[in-house]
Amino acid sequence: MSRPLPVLDEYRGKDTTISEGVWSAPYRRLTLGLILIMLGPAFETLAVATILPKIVASLGGLSFYGWSFSAYMLATLVGLILAGDEADQRGPAIPFIFGVVLFATGLALAGTASSMIIFVISRAVQGFGAGIIASVVLVCAGRGYPEQLKPRMVAVISSAWIVPGLIGPALAGLVADFVGWRWVFLGLVPIVPLATGLVYPALRKLTPSLKTRSLDFHRLLATAGLVAGAGMILIGLQAQSILIALVLILPGLAMGIPSLRYVLPPGTLRVKAGLPAAIATIGLLSVAYFGGEAFLPLTLVSIRGQNTIFAGIALTAATLTWTAGSWLQAHLALHQGRRLLVTLGLLAVALGLAGIASILIPATPATVAIGAWGVGGLGMGLAYSTLSVVVLETASTEQVGSASASMQLSSVLGTALGTGLGGVIIAFAAGSGRPPSWGIAVIDILVIAVIGFALLTAIRLPGRPPQISAE
């Protein structure tokens, strides 16, 4: 039996004693509810890419293919930013309800869409709700559990991706083929009220961390500028004409960078020690990991002649090891320095990226990709989860919500940048008559270099875990 740990109950203003474990009686409903509510966005993220060709064949509108992802991502940015602030000012319960209603509405709209335009709109609604949910979930991990359990709860949240990662793409394909693609969305709707019923009572006990409530119009304008700038950059990256691309990308950068400086914690772009360094490192890690992963199936299928099942196995391996890395972080977090854990994770990701790059060499067995990307996933779980813990530990009580939103924002932007730039490189290779392997090689070199920058920013992370009294 674990020894009871004393923690400060900040919401009732007195000390209390709890049993160690996120599944103990005071936290069981909250833990189960958070896992269930994360299943929806996790499944959708992994399933949509599988069934999107069938959706386009059914609804038409191939030109909207890319926007099925971009609309989701841009709306997620808005949800992440706004929900974090609202959770600090009003408590997480109200933003949570708003988020799940939006996500469920988006699922229903997608499942009944009569055109690709409506489908893209439904993806935006889903993304807005998913951004709110993701932000509130981290707020709950930061404020709903004692310090000793935060690393473990971060690992539990990561575990919510195990089942979607294992069966999501295959199940979505089976449902789409035998029942209809619409039920990939409609089938998730009943899960939302179940998860809400489990989580909401616990969320009501988490009172606002800020005593005064005010609407930050400057932050709202910055959010709008960031989304508009990101949208212009995304459109520019997909433009066929270099002139049109420059006309869109340059103003997008001019609008987006100042907005990003405002919505992220001060000092993030300068990699100030502590919380800003953690946010910056998460962004670079996301650029590298997702930028490399996005083109791994292309390498295996188009260049090495493997089937999509084989490519799926490589991605599934990384999903499993990501979770293993997150749990390894939870085990080591009480004894090892945060900087050391993140550095080890980054090195493992770099090793994984080098391994999948070696698949471009014909003499390298294709099966190396499975092991290599498994190593990359292990590093991602170790580094990303540790960085999440650093954010929760270094943010003040009044800023847990906004700090969590900033972390998610950095990750989303990093993912968009990594995949977007990779797409530009592939398009350039095709337009200039070079083979796809050339473009993928450039991408792999680029993302490994980004890991090098992440190692430099990780130097600014805390060296040791916080000391917690356990009298």
Side-chain angles (χ1 to χ4, degrees), residues 440-462:
I440 294 175
V442 172
I443 294 170
D444 290 337
I445 293 172
L446 177 63
V447 294
I448 292 174
V450 171
I451 288 292
F453 286 108
L455 287 169
L456 295 177
T457 62
I459 295 174
R460 308 287 286 171
L461 296 173

Side-chain angles (χ1 to χ4, degrees), residues 137-469:
V137 164
L138 273 180
V139 170
C140 293
R143 292 172 53 196
Y145 297 84
E147 291 294 332
Q148 294 90 339
L149 298 185
K150 289 178 182 178
R152 186 169 299 176
M153 191 56 207
V154 170
V156 169
I157 292 172
S158 296
S159 299
W161 287 77
I162 292 180
V163 174
L166 283 173
I167 68 173
L171 179 60
L174 288 173
V175 171
D177 286 340
F178 293 100
V179 183
W181 64 264
R182 297 181 184 277
W183 287 99
V184 174
F185 302 95
L186 297 176
L188 286 177
V189 174
I191 297 178
V192 175
L194 172 62
T196 302
L198 290 170
V199 174
Y200 187 69
L203 293 187
R204 293 183 63 186
K205 299 178 182 179
L206 302 181
T207 57
S209 57
L210 296 177
K211 302 302 182 182
T212 60
R213 299 179 182 178
S214 61
L215 185 62
D216 191 340
F217 287 101
H218 291 291
R219 190 170 178 82
L220 290 177
L221 289 175
T223 301
L226 178 60
V227 172
M232 294 173 67
I233 293 171
L234 284 173
I235 296 173
L237 289 174
Q238 300 174 33
Q240 299 296 320
S241 168
I242 295 180
L243 178 60
I244 295 177
L246 291 176
V247 168
L248 290 169
I249 292 175
L250 293 180
L253 290 172
M255 185 184 304
I257 292 177
S259 299
L260 185 62
R261 290 174 61 92
Y262 190 89
V263 298
L264 290 180
T268 299
L269 300 185
R270 295 185 287 105
V271 197
K272 184 179 178 181
L275 174 64
I279 299 295
T281 305
I282 283 176
L284 292 172
L285 176 60
S286 298
V287 169
Y289 182 86
F290 293 107
E293 183 181 68
F295 302 96
L296 176 56
L298 181 63
T299 303
L300 292 172
V301 176
S302 298
I303 297 176
R304 295 304 304 268
Q306 303 296 315
N307 56 35
T308 54
I309 295 177
F310 186 89
I313 292 173
L315 299 183
T316 298
T319 301
L320 294 176
T321 55
W322 181 329
T323 302
S326 184
W327 280 104
L328 179 62
Q329 167 272 147
H331 177 73
L332 299 175
L334 294 177
H335 310 290
Q336 300 297 327
R338 305 296 186 246
R339 188 187 309 130
L340 174 62
L341 293 179
V342 172
T343 299
L344 291 175
L346 290 172
L347 291 174
V349 172
L351 183 60
L353 291 169
I356 63 175
S358 72
I359 303 302
L360 294 170
I361 302 173
T364 304
T367 52
V368 170
I370 298 175
W373 206 229
V375 172
L378 181 68
M380 187 66 172
L382 184 60
Y384 194 97
S385 297
T386 303
L387 289 167
S388 301
V389 172
V390 171
V391 170
L392 297 178
E393 290 174 341
T394 55
S396 64
T397 302
E398 296 80 8
Q399 296 178 330
V400 169
S402 59
S404 300
S406 296
M407 181 185 74
Q408 297 281 351
L409 169 65
S410 181
S411 179
V412 171
L413 284 176
T415 301
L417 182 61
T419 55
L421 289 178
V424 170
I425 293 171
I426 292 295
F428 174 79
S432 60
R434 293 179 172 87
S437 58
W438 181 89
I440 294 175
V442 172
I443 294 170
D444 290 337
I445 293 172
L446 177 63
V447 294
I448 292 174
V450 171
I451 288 292
F453 286 108
L455 287 169
L456 295 177
T457 62
I459 295 174
R460 308 287 286 171
L461 296 173
R464 302 296 306 172
Q467 299 299 313
I468 303 171
S469 175

Side-chain angles (χ1 to χ4, degrees), residues 87-168:
D88 287 336
Q89 296 195 32
R90 303 177 186 275
I94 294 177
F96 176 77
I97 292 297
F98 192 57
V100 295
V101 168
L102 280 172
F103 186 73
T105 301
L107 290 174
L109 286 174
T112 58
S114 58
S115 69
M116 277 300 292
I117 294 178
I118 295 177
F119 181 77
V120 168
I121 293 173
S122 76
R123 291 288 291 162
V125 175
Q126 287 179 57
F128 194 13
I132 294 174
I133 290 170
S135 184
V136 171
V137 164
L138 273 180
V139 170
C140 293
R143 292 172 53 196
Y145 297 84
E147 291 294 332
Q148 294 90 339
L149 298 185
K150 289 178 182 178
R152 186 169 299 176
M153 191 56 207
V154 170
V156 169
I157 292 172
S158 296
S159 299
W161 287 77
I162 292 180
V163 174
L166 283 173
I167 68 173

